[in-house]
CSV table of all heavy atoms in Angstrom, one decimal:
chain,number,residue,atom,x,y,z
A,205,ALA,N,44.9,-23.7,-87.7
A,205,ALA,CA,44.0,-24.2,-86.6
A,205,ALA,C,43.0,-23.1,-86.3
A,205,ALA,O,43.1,-22.5,-85.2
A,205,ALA,CB,44.9,-24.5,-85.3
A,206,PRO,N,42.1,-22.8,-87.2
A,206,PRO,CA,41.3,-21.6,-87.1
A,206,PRO,C,40.4,-21.4,-85.9
A,206,PRO,O,40.1,-20.3,-85.5
A,206,PRO,CB,40.5,-21.6,-88.4
A,206,PRO,CG,40.5,-23.1,-88.8
A,206,PRO,CD,41.8,-23.6,-88.4
A,207,ASN,N,40.0,-22.6,-85.4
A,207,ASN,CA,39.0,-22.5,-84.3
A,207,ASN,C,39.6,-23.0,-83.0
A,207,ASN,O,38.9,-23.3,-82.0
A,207,ASN,CB,37.8,-23.3,-84.6
A,207,ASN,CG,37.1,-22.8,-85.9
A,207,ASN,OD1,36.8,-21.6,-86.0
A,207,ASN,ND2,36.8,-23.7,-86.8
A,208,GLN,N,40.9,-23.1,-82.9
A,208,GLN,CA,41.6,-23.6,-81.7
A,208,GLN,C,42.4,-22.5,-81.0
A,208,GLN,O,43.0,-21.6,-81.6
A,208,GLN,CB,42.5,-24.7,-82.1
A,208,GLN,CG,41.8,-26.0,-82.5
A,208,GLN,CD,42.7,-27.2,-82.7
A,208,GLN,OE1,43.2,-27.5,-83.8
A,208,GLN,NE2,43.1,-27.8,-81.6
A,209,ALA,N,42.3,-22.6,-79.7
A,209,ALA,CA,43.2,-21.7,-78.8
A,209,ALA,C,43.4,-22.5,-77.5
A,209,ALA,O,42.5,-23.2,-77.1
A,209,ALA,CB,42.5,-20.4,-78.5
A,210,GLY,N,44.6,-22.5,-77.0
A,210,GLY,CA,44.9,-23.2,-75.8
A,210,GLY,C,46.3,-23.7,-75.7
A,210,GLY,O,47.2,-23.1,-76.4
A,211,THR,N,46.5,-24.7,-74.9
A,211,THR,CA,47.8,-25.2,-74.6
A,211,THR,C,48.1,-26.5,-75.2
A,211,THR,O,47.3,-27.5,-75.0
A,211,THR,CB,48.0,-25.3,-73.0
A,211,THR,OG1,47.6,-24.1,-72.4
A,211,THR,CG2,49.4,-25.6,-72.7
A,212,TYR,N,49.1,-26.6,-76.1
A,212,TYR,CA,49.4,-27.8,-76.8
A,212,TYR,C,50.9,-28.1,-76.7
A,212,TYR,O,51.6,-27.4,-75.9
A,212,TYR,CB,49.0,-27.6,-78.3
A,212,TYR,CG,47.6,-27.1,-78.5
A,212,TYR,CD1,47.4,-25.7,-78.6
A,212,TYR,CD2,46.6,-28.0,-78.5
A,212,TYR,CE1,46.0,-25.3,-78.7
A,212,TYR,CE2,45.3,-27.5,-78.6
A,212,TYR,CZ,45.0,-26.2,-78.7
A,212,TYR,OH,43.7,-25.7,-78.8
A,213,TRP,N,51.4,-29.0,-77.4
A,213,TRP,CA,52.9,-29.3,-77.4
A,213,TRP,C,53.3,-30.0,-78.7
A,213,TRP,O,52.4,-30.4,-79.5
A,213,TRP,CB,53.3,-30.0,-76.1
A,213,TRP,CG,52.8,-31.4,-75.9
A,213,TRP,CD1,51.5,-31.8,-75.8
A,213,TRP,CD2,53.6,-32.6,-75.7
A,213,TRP,NE1,51.5,-33.2,-75.6
A,213,TRP,CE2,52.8,-33.7,-75.5
A,213,TRP,CE3,55.0,-32.8,-75.7
A,213,TRP,CZ2,53.2,-35.0,-75.3
A,213,TRP,CZ3,55.5,-34.1,-75.4
A,213,TRP,CH2,54.6,-35.1,-75.2
A,214,TYR,N,54.6,-30.1,-78.9
A,214,TYR,CA,55.1,-30.8,-80.0
A,214,TYR,C,56.1,-31.8,-79.5
A,214,TYR,O,56.8,-31.6,-78.5
A,214,TYR,CB,55.7,-29.9,-81.1
A,214,TYR,CG,56.8,-29.0,-80.6
A,214,TYR,CD1,58.2,-29.5,-80.8
A,214,TYR,CD2,56.6,-27.8,-80.0
A,214,TYR,CE1,59.2,-28.7,-80.4
A,214,TYR,CE2,57.7,-27.0,-79.6
A,214,TYR,CZ,59.0,-27.4,-79.8
A,214,TYR,OH,60.1,-26.7,-79.4
A,215,HIS,N,56.3,-32.9,-80.3
A,215,HIS,CA,57.3,-33.9,-79.9
A,215,HIS,C,57.5,-34.8,-81.1
A,215,HIS,O,56.8,-34.9,-82.0
A,215,HIS,CB,56.7,-34.7,-78.7
A,215,HIS,CG,55.5,-35.5,-78.9
A,215,HIS,ND1,55.4,-36.7,-79.6
A,215,HIS,CD2,54.2,-35.1,-78.7
A,215,HIS,CE1,54.1,-37.1,-79.6
A,215,HIS,NE2,53.4,-36.1,-79.1
A,216,SER,N,58.7,-35.5,-81.0
A,216,SER,CA,59.0,-36.5,-82.0
A,216,SER,C,57.9,-37.6,-82.0
A,216,SER,O,57.4,-38.0,-80.9
A,216,SER,CB,60.3,-37.1,-81.7
A,216,SER,OG,60.5,-38.3,-82.6
A,217,HIS,N,57.5,-38.0,-83.1
A,217,HIS,CA,56.6,-39.2,-83.2
A,217,HIS,C,57.2,-40.3,-84.0
A,217,HIS,O,56.6,-41.0,-84.8
A,217,HIS,CB,55.3,-38.8,-83.8
A,217,HIS,CG,54.1,-39.4,-83.2
A,217,HIS,ND1,54.0,-40.8,-82.9
A,217,HIS,CD2,52.9,-38.9,-82.7
A,217,HIS,CE1,52.9,-41.0,-82.3
A,217,HIS,NE2,52.2,-39.9,-82.2
Side-chain angles (χ1 to χ4, degrees):
N207 300 311
Q208 292 188 260
T211 310
Y212 309 95
W213 65 300
Y214 62 92
H215 59 84
S216 170
H217 220 309

